Amino acid sequence: CFAIELFCEHMAPELVAPFGSPLMERLMEVLRTRTGSVQAHSVTAIAALAGTAGPAIAPHGPALLEMMRALMALTAPQDLPLRIKATETVGMICEAMGKAAFGPYLGPFMELALAGMQIDCDELREFTYSFFGNAAHVFQEDFGQYMPVVLPHFMHSFTSTSGVAYHRPVRASQFLREAESQADPLGGV
């Protein structure tokens, strides 16, 4: 799965697209039949393939989304990494499928994403914002109906201190002395 991810990230979309369907079929098989880290790597590879191959994976959209729906419903702490990857992947699938094809799925996946915002997990919130961004990009003004629900989450993140580390204050004179002591003899810093 890691090799497919690298392949997708470093190749031009027009070179990956012809292989999108057979690669996606194999990744979906891995996702269905494996567990643990292999399953997580397959979800990451699916996201990479969706991001690179784009519309070439659209025929697999419904089956993929059904798999992602199950993963985005996971709530056990040990399953959150898989939920996080699935949330990001759905955003990539949304971009690949486009507005018309993903339209019927937007509501249910918005519900799952919003439910994920209630879980105390900063990384899940971060990747949920990514999903919101992908959906907003695809749906443009039609995403506006979700803004009254999504915006309070964005606002909360602005005031959250979760993950913030505080350091002792440094006086300006001390900062300047430290900067001067690290200066390059040629005048650069």
Side-chain angles (χ1 to χ4, degrees), residues 79-155:
D79 294 330
L80 289 181
L82 197 51
R83 183 180 182 144
I84 290 164
K85 290 178 185 304
T87 302
E88 174 188 33
T89 300
V90 170
M92 302 300 288
I93 294 169
C94 174
E95 291 266 2
M97 290 176 67
K99 185 177 181 176
F102 193 85
Y105 302 98
L106 181 61
F109 279 100
M110 285 296 296
E111 288 177 23
L112 286 166
L114 289 165
M117 295 297 286
Q118 304 308 312
I119 297 172
D120 186 23
C121 178
D122 292 335
E123 192 174 3
L124 179 56
R125 280 191 289 278
E126 180 182 332
F127 283 92
T128 301
Y129 292 141
S130 177
F131 165 72
F132 292 153
N134 289 118
H137 179 252
V138 170
F139 287 90
Q140 299 286 319
E141 64 279 347
D142 291 335
F143 190 80
Q145 66 181 313
Y146 296 103
M147 289 308 293
V149 179
V150 171
L151 196 56
H153 292 288
F154 286 134
M155 299 304 290

Side-chain angles (χ1 to χ4, degrees), residues 8 22 29 31 37 39 79 104 107 132 136 143 146 151 178 182:
C8 292
E29 180 183 331
L31 185 57
S37 66
Q39 199 175 31
D79 294 330
F132 292 153
F143 190 80
Y146 296 103
L151 196 56
E178 288 175 8
Q182 297 173 4

